[in-house]
Amino acid sequence: GIKGAAVATAFSQACGAILYGRWLFRKGLLGGGKKVRGTESGNAEHQKAALERRKRTIAIAILRANAAMMAKQGSLLLGWAYATSRATRMGHAVVASHQMALSVWLVVALVLEGAGVAAQVLMAKEWEGLKVLEEKREKIPASNAVAMDDDDDDDVVLDVVPDSMQPAVDRKRRTIKSLTLYMLKLSIVQGLLGSLSVLLLRRWAPDFILTNDPAVRRNILVLLPHIAAQMALVSVTLVTEALAIGGGRFKWLAGGTTVSSVVAIVKLRGAVDLVDIWNGGIVALFVGRLVTASLAVMDMNGLFRRRERRQKKIDG
């Protein structure tokens, strides 16, 4: 059973990687794709060189994003694996309780992550729209104004930011801020509902879910209130990370998750029972992830840039 599941998972991942590589090849990001044609050889060569540079830029961005997300997921799985190994050292009843608690946690977390998927898709759309507007703002001159220099034959193009695009950029930034606040509020509400569902499960305590083994059942009933208390933290973390992914802040998440996993492992080394594992290492893991994702989302909303501009005005 386990071997078959592992083979099926590996096969599906290999198929996904092949399809992804085929898509990149068809888009010309791996050396394939359609050739650029032009009426004049010089113009055609210029277009081809520009297109190749753009393809390389996109391919590098994709590879960096994939590497960052692999580092994020790898460090996260390492933290969970170490938590399980600590439970294993505490006895068969404890590790069985840990695995059952993890199953309950995963079910609730997967439901909570639905809002994260929506947040990622919506933020990616709005963030791409903002980038397009900012590119247009940089490319379009304000009035095609050119200052003539009497001392030589060179014209000096005035460095003027086009005001016509600024209102659209500001509106898009307000939309991103509004989306961020809305999704964070939603994450808190659904996190509280997740906590309520775990508490109801503890009150109901059906044998077909929580087993009828006395030792395991006793450990689970003790642990479920602690898991319920973490659901708001988990929900906000998942949605905040999704917003950061939508804004392309992959390096932030990779670095933050790696550091958080290291801190969690350090705390897990001192765990003496199952409650210590969940209240210590796992909470530390999610707090670290939330802090990093929050910083990334604040950066997306221009908090750090505003401080830099304010500091430049003070220095000036």
Side-chain angles (χ1 to χ4, degrees):
I2 296 177
K3 182 178 179 181
V7 171
T9 301
F11 179 74
S12 63
Q13 291 175 343
C15 290
I18 292 172
L19 291 174
Y20 187 44
R22 184 172 178 269
W23 179 83
L24 292 176
F25 184 82
R26 291 183 61 184
K27 292 293 182 180
L29 300 177
L30 297 178
K34 297 179 180 179
K35 296 182 179 180
V36 178
R37 296 181 181 179
T39 55
E40 298 179 4
S41 59
N43 186 36
E45 290 298 326
H46 177 73
Q47 291 182 3
K48 183 177 180 180
L51 182 60
E52 290 298 326
R53 286 194 298 270
R54 181 171 178 79
K55 288 179 179 179
R56 285 196 297 270
T57 301
I58 295 174
I60 291 173
I62 292 174
L63 291 175
R64 286 178 176 174
N66 288 343
M69 295 309 293
M70 288 177 63
K72 173 182 176 296
Q73 292 301 112
S75 59
L76 180 61
L77 291 175
L78 178 62
W80 280 111
Y82 189 77
T84 303
S85 71
R86 291 297 301 171
T88 304
R89 294 181 176 91
M90 299 176 187
H92 68 278
V94 173
V95 72
S97 304
H98 173 76
Q99 291 294 345
M100 186 159 294
L102 181 58
S103 299
V104 173
W105 185 94
L106 285 173
V107 170
V108 180
L110 286 174
V111 175
L112 299 178
E113 200 169 15
V117 174
Q120 180 178 336
V121 172
L122 293 173
M123 180 58 75
K125 179 182 177 181
E126 298 298 334
W127 189 256
E128 184 62 27
L130 176 63
K131 290 172 61 179
V132 170
L133 289 174
E134 289 181 337
E135 288 178 2
K136 289 182 178 179
R137 185 185 62 179
E138 296 298 327
K139 290 180 180 179
I140 302 174
S143 58
N144 294 324
V146 178
M148 301 300 296
D149 191 349
D150 296 334
D151 296 334
D152 50 42
D153 296 332
D154 296 332
D155 296 337
V156 180
V157 180
L158 297 179
D159 186 13
V160 182
V161 177
D163 296 331
S164 60
M165 295 298 299
Q166 192 59 42
V169 173
D170 292 339
R171 284 195 300 271
K172 184 62 71 173
R173 286 199 174 277
R174 286 195 296 270
T175 301
I176 290 174
K177 182 178 180 180
S178 177
L179 174 62
T180 300
L181 294 176
Y182 176 81
M183 296 308 302
L184 290 178
K185 292 176 183 177
L186 176 61
S187 69
I188 294 173
V189 172
Q190 71 166 10
L192 295 176
L193 292 176
S195 299
L196 180 60
S197 65
V198 176
L199 291 176
L200 290 176
L201 176 64
R202 182 184 185 277
R203 183 177 180 84
W204 183 27
D207 292 342
F208 66 91
I209 294 179
L210 300 184
T211 191
N212 54 6
D213 183 276
V216 176
R217 188 179 179 85
R218 183 172 57 254
N219 290 334
I220 286 290
L221 293 178
V222 170
L223 188 59
L224 283 180
H226 300 278
I227 295 177
Q230 298 174 15
M231 284 299 107
L233 171 64
V234 172
S235 178
V236 175
T237 301
L238 294 175
V239 172
T240 307
E241 285 186 335
L243 291 170
I245 292 172
R249 296 305 194 268
F250 301 104
K251 291 182 180 179
W252 288 72
L253 299 181
T257 304
T258 302
V259 173
S260 301
S261 298
V262 173
V263 173
I265 289 174
V266 172
K267 291 188 70 64
L268 285 168
R269 288 177 65 87
V272 295
D273 56 24
L274 196 56
V275 174
D276 280 347
I277 290 176
W278 283 84
N279 280 353
I282 293 177
V283 168
L285 176 63
F286 276 88
V287 168
R289 290 171 61 184
L290 177 59
V291 169
T292 306
S294 299
L295 292 174
V297 172
M298 287 190 288
D299 178 61
M300 289 165 51
N301 282 275
L303 177 64
F304 301 132
R305 286 191 294 272
R306 282 197 294 269
R307 289 185 176 180
E308 290 175 359
R309 288 195 295 267
R310 194 180 301 117
Q311 187 62 39
K312 287 180 180 179
K313 289 181 180 179
I314 294 174
D315 297 339

